[in-house]
Amino acid sequence: MQLQNTSLNLRNATSRPARVTRVAFAGLMAAGAFVSGCAVPARNVVPSGGDRVVVVVSGTANEPRAAVGDAVLAVLRDAANSGNVSQQGSGKSSVVLVSAADGGDRRSVVLTPRRADGSLEHGLSRPSLIDRNVASAVDAIGATAARKSGLDLLTGIADAVRGVAAGTLVVDSSGLSTGGAFDLRQVGWAADPAAVAGQLTAARQLPGLGGWHVVFTGLGSVAGPQPPLPTPARERLAAYWQAICRAAGAAACDVDQSRVPAEPSRATAATPVVPVPGVTSVTGPRGEVTTTVSDAALGFAGDSAVLSESAGDLLRSLAGSITAGRTSAPVTVRGFAADPPGSTDAGRRELAEQRARAVAGALTGAGVTQRVDATGTGTEPGVTAMTGGRFDEAAAARMRRVEITYQGPGPST
């Protein structure tokens, strides 16, 4: 595949060039859904001699609050246990370093339980102390929020690992980078991941990840005005970051696909939106969000009101944004249709309503507890796909859509 929009933003070199090495995909499978070459139990993911876990959090306003799923929890617990000389042979305290991707807060939380005299705790209280320490690390991750506009995730990763011995790196981010050398608004969704990584390598823009075991979590999780990602875009996003990770010399590059309940972002700095084919979101003055999804993105074919499997993923993501608003305000779903020759107003309205109901049902099934009202508008007054007696399919495609309006985390009416 040819590289689309090859004018990558190659400004502000932030790290030394990384060696491109063969990647050993050991995997980081642990109570969650990791995508990698092969799977091993989570207890094996802490590298020999590595008593550090680094977590870099983007925490922008276009993402839910940073959260930790079961798989990353397992990584933290295993790191806490690595201080036991019978495991890993380290005998040292394990520490998680939580770093904001925009160069903000950096916090350190000791994971390995120790007694008052400084010796390792191996008594009956050890499990509860590990629980307490891991909970403190999770709180630190959730409290991390961006203070600057935009997201330069490459620089954030480079800053997080600089000067730290290789261990386990958790990248807790939507991955929707809008600044620095990797700007998705310029790269788009059709570029070859290997070509993107090659350009970054040639421009000396990759972080030094030699020896690091990297796991991405939260890729594609969005909130606010950022449109949700259809399945193909999610897959391409993961492919971009895995290619970048491999080119940066990491020992393993995995993606945690487990989902966690979405909570409102703690960030207030505005963040640019990355355009998504077939999906747009607009936030109104009172915090109401209207997300418009094309029929193509929903997978409707012909006169069908059956959602595609990938549409289900998109709507589950949107449901997370809706529930994160923590409001009882109703959700409205409006369907729109085109006017091909031979169709009737009543027929178009009925099809549009059936499709709106399909979307409403999917949102409810994905956990939306508010009332969801579904209506079919058919074609809008004065809008037509007929031009000079001929049917314009491109115009019709723009007309066929579903609009979902809900109250976001901003002020309500």
Side-chain angles (χ1 to χ4, degrees):
M1 182 180 295
Q2 295 297 313
L3 180 63
Q4 182 189 52
N5 296 332
T6 55
S7 57
L8 290 175
N9 184 358
L10 300 176
R11 303 188 301 269
N12 302 326
T14 58
S15 62
R16 63 185 182 277
R19 292 181 297 112
V20 179
T21 64
R22 176 173 293 180
V23 179
F25 283 96
L28 289 172
M29 289 293 291
F34 278 121
V35 176
S36 64
C38 62
V40 296
R43 61 178 177 273
N44 294 328
V45 304
V46 179
S48 177
D51 58 349
R52 297 290 186 272
V53 175
V54 175
V55 182
V56 58
V57 182
S58 54
T60 70
N62 286 359
E63 303 169 288
R65 179 183 178 183
V68 172
D70 289 343
V72 175
L73 275 176
V75 171
L76 296 176
R77 290 185 182 279
D78 288 338
N81 275 308
S82 71
N84 185 340
V85 293
S86 66
Q87 296 183 8
Q88 307 294 337
S90 135
K92 301 177 182 179
S93 290
S94 291
V95 177
V96 59
L97 304 174
V98 181
S99 177
D102 65 355
D105 293 341
R106 186 180 180 95
R107 308 180 189 185
S108 175
V109 179
V110 176
L111 295 174
T112 305
R114 285 188 177 273
R115 297 173 179 149
D117 62 2
S119 62
L120 294 176
E121 174 61 69
H122 296 299
L124 295 177
S125 63
R126 180 179 175 87
S128 62
L129 292 175
I130 287 178
D131 288 343
R132 182 197 65 186
N133 294 349
V134 169
S136 296
V138 171
D139 288 344
I141 293 169
T144 304
R147 297 179 179 178
K148 300 177 182 176
S149 175
L151 170 59
D152 180 358
L153 189 53
L154 274 181
T155 298
I157 292 173
D159 290 343
V161 301
R162 186 176 291 114
V164 182
T168 302
L169 171 66
V170 176
V171 181
D172 193 331
S173 173
S174 68
L176 297 178
S177 190
T178 57
F182 182 56
D183 186 340
L184 270 166
R185 295 171 299 172
Q186 297 183 34
V187 177
W189 298 104
D192 178 4
V196 171
Q199 281 198 339
L200 293 170
T201 301
R204 304 167 70 88
Q205 290 292 312
L206 293 178
L209 296 181
W212 283 91
H213 289 228
V214 182
V215 54
F216 295 93
T217 186
L219 288 182
S221 296
V222 301
Q226 175 59 51
L229 274 59
T231 297
R234 279 179 172 267
E235 293 174 347
R236 183 53 56 93
L237 182 66
Y240 284 153
W241 283 111
Q242 284 188 301
I244 290 170
C245 176
R246 291 194 293 267
C253 304
D254 300 308
V255 176
D256 174 15
Q257 292 187 325
S258 60
R259 298 176 183 270
V260 296
E263 295 188 17
S265 173
R266 299 172 65 95
T268 56
T271 299
V273 166
V274 176
V276 178
V279 188
T280 60
S281 287
V282 177
T283 301
R286 295 183 175 85
E288 69 278 13
V289 180
T290 298
T291 297
T292 302
V293 188
S294 69
D295 274 12
L298 293 170
F300 292 134
D303 292 333
S304 172
V306 178
L307 292 164
S308 67
E309 183 176 347
S310 62
D313 290 337
L314 184 152
L315 293 173
R316 279 189 289 272
S317 176
L318 182 58
S321 296
I322 294 172
T323 56
R326 293 181 176 177
T327 175
S328 59
V331 179
T332 61
V333 181
R334 296 178 64 195
F336 297 85
D339 55 344
S343 65
T344 65
D345 288 343
R348 293 192 293 271
R349 191 162 50 250
E350 181 180 0
L351 177 60
E353 184 169 343
Q354 289 174 349
R355 291 176 171 178
R357 288 178 178 174
V359 169
L363 293 174
T364 300
V368 173
T369 57
Q370 299 97 307
R371 188 180 81 243
V372 183
D373 299 324
T375 60
T377 301
T379 52
E380 297 174 277
V383 178
T384 178
M386 302 298 294
T387 304
R390 300 183 61 182
F391 181 68
D392 185 343
E393 178 57 40
R398 291 190 293 270
M399 295 169 63
R400 302 185 189 110
R401 67 193 188 280
V402 174
E403 293 181 354
I404 304 104
T405 302
Y406 60 95
Q407 183 62 43
S412 61
T413 54

